[in-house]
């Protein structure tokens, strides 16, 4: 007799939208043990588990779900952590609907198994347990990781497991990269990121903060003078793009990078108790339609803005943000202005922003991205009165490291060129994540970090045993 499948995922409990729009506490509250076991019971335990194909770090999804179904949560965590050092993080921010859950057989006729929610549950379950850490036999090889975001963290975890002496260099005062400065507290609590990083430290990974490689030391100095045998570059994409519109220098025009860093990492949301000020005003527009735009808009609302608009040049169907994030934004009162494109910033004599001139758009033929190209409608210009505009149209790599490493090949966008193993043009140097591909997802960056770690290990082992 065929198994009866509950057609929909067990719902995730959330804070009430009217309440959460005024605080920075986490929106999604997580499954209970009973609900997690019931959701795991929806899994068909397929003989050919296609869900694994959709996971960039190769988590053994069927095995960990089977253990959750039996209530063996500690064992489930061990299965996940074989390949994913950050389960509580990935369970919260991975776009599972486009990855593992996209391939779930249950999802062919019903809603797929809530793999991401189960991963989050398991990660949270073991978060505060003092688990013993297995120490590998030291190889004697030293590896430098530049950047402590998702790619660097995943690379460091795998190299430490293999017995290498790993040091991470982080330019900011806190490790975590985009997990700390880019994703708001209400979507990814910072204490969870730091707890997962603390587990890496227990594995022996050393972290140096306020350490800008390319300024305090060059990559060549790390390799030739500091005794590192190899390096991984996971410096991400932290340089914001702008639209270069007239009036972009008015006070009140932020990049999403600056706005979110001030709020997330420098805690501007609790000014004046914290030292970092942030201007929000009553009317805010966010330019862009990705997850960063949703994060910036929802942050502005929580900081006290009365009207927050998402200005996006295509329609709702083309929004690149996760559907869940769009729905959360709508529930909280974010107003979407689709098929609208900004053309000019307006300001007063004192240099402060007062508004944004926009033009209405219509969709034409698909462009190179496969999405229908927006086309301006002549004569449809209008002015949107505003106090603040936040530009969230993408980021590129910071050029500091590459400018000080002339034999490191980059492409025309400034991204480091690396092959499928993460190998760059420079001997012993590997790279992965956003600095290679451009801005992508946390889990894809982690996958690139893991691939590079395996190949760094092979590169070092090919040198033979190192004298200790």
């Amino acid at each position: 007799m065929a198994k009866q499948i509950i057609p929909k995922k067990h719902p995730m409990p959330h804070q009430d939208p009217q309440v959460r729009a005024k605080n920075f506490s986490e929106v999604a509250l997580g499954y209970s043990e009973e609900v997690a076991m019931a959701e795991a019971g929806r899994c068909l335990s397929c003989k050919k588990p296609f869900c694994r194909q959709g996971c960039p770090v190769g988590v053994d999804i069927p095995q960990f779900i089977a253990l959750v179904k039996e209530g063996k949560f500690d064992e489930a965590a061990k299965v996940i952590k074989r390949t994913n050092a950050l389960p509580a993080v990935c369970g919260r921010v991975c776009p599972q609907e486009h990855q593992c859950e996209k391939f779930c057989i249950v999802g062919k006729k019903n809603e797929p198994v809530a793999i991401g929610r189960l991963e989050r549950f398991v990660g949270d379950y073991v978060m505060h347990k003092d688990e013993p850490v297995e120490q590998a036999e030291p190889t004697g090889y030293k590896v430098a990781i530049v950047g402590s975001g998702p790619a660097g963290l995943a690379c460091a975890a795998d190299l430490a497991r293999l017995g290498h002496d790993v040091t991470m260099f982080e330019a900011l005062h806190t490790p975590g990269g985009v997990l700390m400065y880019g994703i708001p507290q209400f979507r990814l609590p910072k204490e969870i990121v730091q707890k997962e990083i603390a587990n890496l430290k227990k594995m022996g990974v050393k972290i140096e903060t306020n350490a800008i490689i390319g300024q305090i030391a060059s990559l060549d100095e790390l390799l030739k003078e500091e005794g590192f045998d190899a390096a991984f570059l996971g410096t991400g994409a932290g340089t914001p793009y702008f639209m270069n519109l007239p009036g972009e220098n008015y006070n009140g025009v932020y990049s999403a990078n600056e706005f979110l860093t001030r709020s997330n990492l420098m805690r501007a949301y609790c000014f004046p108790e914290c030292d970092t000020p942030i201007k929000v005003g009553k009317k805010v527009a966010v330019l862009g339609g990705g997850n960063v735009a949703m994060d910036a808009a929802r942050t502005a609302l929580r900081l006290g803005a009365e009207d927050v608009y998402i200005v996006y040049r295509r329609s709702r169907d083309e929004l690149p943000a996760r559907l869940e994030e769009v729905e959360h934004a709508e529930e909280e009162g974010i107003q979407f202005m689709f098929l609208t494109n900004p053309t000019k910033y307006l300001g007063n004599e004192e240099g402060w922003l007062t508004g944004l001139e926009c033009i209405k758009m219509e969709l034409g033929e698909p462009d190179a991205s496969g999405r229908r190209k927006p086309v301006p409608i002549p004569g449809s210009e209008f002015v949107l009165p505003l106090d603040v505009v936040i530009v969230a149209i993408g980021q590129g790599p910071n050029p500091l490291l590459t400018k000080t490493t002339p034999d490191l090949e980059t492409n025309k966008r400034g991204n480091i060129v690396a092959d499928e193993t993460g190998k760059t043009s420079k001997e012993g140097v590997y790279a992965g994540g956003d600095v290679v591909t451009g801005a992508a997802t946390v889990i894809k960056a982690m996958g690139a970090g893991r691939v590079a770690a395996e190949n760094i290990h092979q590169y070092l082992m090919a040198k033979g045993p190192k004298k200790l």
Side-chain angles (χ1 to χ4, degrees):
M1 184 176 173
K3 179 179 177 178
Q4 291 293 317
I5 299 174
I6 299 172
K8 291 183 176 294
K9 298 175 181 177
H10 287 76
M12 173 68 92
H14 292 93
Q15 278 197 78
D16 182 271
Q18 300 303 314
V19 174
R20 72 186 192 227
K22 296 181 173 63
N23 68 54
F24 277 84
S25 299
E26 191 169 16
V27 168
L29 303 177
Y31 278 167
S32 66
E33 294 182 11
E34 293 75 16
V35 174
M37 292 172 69
E39 180 62 28
R42 296 180 66 233
C43 177
L44 295 174
S45 304
C46 303
K47 290 183 179 178
K48 291 185 177 179
F50 294 105
C51 52
R52 288 193 66 175
Q53 297 178 10
C55 178
V57 297
V59 169
D60 190 338
I61 293 168
Q63 189 180 6
F64 103 73
I65 288 182
L67 290 165
V68 172
K69 193 188 309 184
E70 297 175 23
K72 297 178 179 177
F73 308 133
D74 291 299
E75 291 86 342
K78 290 178 182 174
V79 170
I80 297 174
K81 289 192 173 185
R82 284 181 204 148
T83 53
N84 184 357
L86 310 171
V89 170
C90 291
R92 284 170 167 81
V93 302
C94 276
Q96 294 98 3
E97 66 272 24
H98 300 302
Q99 296 175 334
C100 52
E101 294 180 12
K102 179 180 178 181
F103 296 91
C104 175
I105 297 299
V106 175
K108 297 293 182 184
K109 294 184 178 178
N110 304 286
E111 286 190 2
V113 175
I115 299 169
R117 295 174 185 176
L118 292 174
E119 183 179 38
R120 167 187 163 147
F121 166 79
V122 171
D124 287 355
Y125 183 84
V126 297
M127 175 74 63
H128 300 293
K129 292 191 174 185
D130 190 18
E131 298 176 279
V133 175
E134 294 181 10
Q135 298 288 346
E137 189 71 23
T139 65
Y141 284 107
K142 290 178 62 177
V143 183
I145 309 279
V146 185
S148 67
L153 292 170
C155 188
D158 281 11
L159 288 170
R161 283 194 194 99
L162 293 165
H164 301 298
D165 183 352
V166 179
T167 300
M168 301 185 75
F169 295 93
E170 167 56 48
L172 298 174
H173 62 277
T174 303
V178 70
L179 303 175
M180 290 298 295
Y181 73 73
I183 303 177
Q185 180 82 2
F186 55 82
R187 200 154 71 85
L188 178 62
K190 303 309 160 205
E191 51 272 24
I192 287 175
V193 179
Q194 292 306 309
K195 182 65 181 175
E196 302 241 54
I197 290 174
N199 288 333
L200 261 65
K201 291 180 180 176
K202 286 167 63 177
M203 296 168 66
V205 174
K206 297 182 279 291
I207 301 178
E208 293 190 18
T209 55
N210 299 310
I212 305 174
I213 302 304
Q215 191 169 75
I216 65 164
S218 68
L219 185 57
D220 283 321
E221 286 171 333
L222 290 182
L223 295 170
K224 295 176 181 175
E225 299 176 18
E226 301 294 330
F228 288 97
D229 301 288
F232 173 75
L233 310 180
T235 48
T239 302
Y241 294 146
F242 285 90
M243 297 180 71
N244 298 319
L245 299 177
E248 206 156 59
N249 289 328
Y250 280 123
N251 295 314
V253 179
Y254 283 99
S255 69
N257 186 294
E258 179 186 355
F259 187 78
L260 291 172
T261 299
R262 281 174 179 259
S263 178
N264 297 335
L265 186 63
M266 303 171 76
R267 302 182 65 190
Y269 60 83
C270 60
F271 181 82
E273 287 77 12
C274 295
D275 292 337
T276 309
I278 193 168
K279 174 180 170 57
V280 179
K282 294 182 179 179
K283 294 182 180 296
V284 178
V286 180
L287 312 185
N291 289 326
V292 174
M294 302 303 137
D295 286 343
R298 297 170 70 194
T299 295
L301 189 71
R302 283 160 172 78
L303 287 169
E306 295 176 359
D307 293 298
V308 182
Y309 308 95
I310 293 277
V311 177
Y312 182 58
R313 61 182 185 154
R314 291 185 166 93
S315 75
R316 192 180 194 283
D317 291 341
E318 287 84 28
L319 274 175
R322 292 184 65 193
L323 178 60
E324 183 177 83
E325 304 306 330
V326 175
E327 291 175 346
H328 284 173
E330 289 173 329
E331 291 170 357
E332 293 167 8
I334 303 298
Q335 301 170 60
F336 286 77
M337 300 181 69
F338 295 117
L339 294 168
T340 304
N341 205 33
T343 54
K344 182 168 64 176
Y345 297 99
L346 305 174
N348 60 24
E349 294 181 350
E350 286 75 40
W352 288 93
L353 180 82
T354 58
L356 183 69
E357 182 184 276
C358 301
I359 187 167
K360 298 300 292 182
M361 312 290 281
E362 59 186 357
L363 293 178
E365 296 300 315
D367 61 15
S369 71
R371 295 178 295 175
R372 294 178 63 189
K373 185 178 180 180
V375 179
I377 300 175
S380 64
E381 293 87 352
F382 68 98
V383 172
L384 185 64
L386 295 169
D387 303 304
V388 163
V389 168
I390 303 166
V391 184
I393 59 170
Q395 303 91 236
N398 186 310
L400 183 60
L401 179 65
T402 51
K403 280 187 174 178
T404 56
T405 315
D407 53 343
L408 190 64
E409 184 182 355
T410 58
N411 63 21
K412 62 182 180 181
R413 297 180 67 89
N415 297 101
I416 295 172
V417 175
D419 66 14
E420 67 277 5
T421 71
K423 186 178 179 182
T424 71
S425 58
K426 192 172 177 64
E427 173 74 20
V429 177
Y430 293 71
D434 291 0
V435 74
V436 171
T437 61
T441 65
V442 168
I443 195 71
K444 284 187 176 178
M446 291 181 67
R450 294 204 68 222
V451 168
E454 173 60 28
N455 287 285
I456 290 171
H457 177 65
Q458 292 180 16
Y459 166 77
L460 294 174
M461 292 301 94
K463 292 174 175 283
K466 187 171 185 180
K467 293 181 180 179
L468 301 177

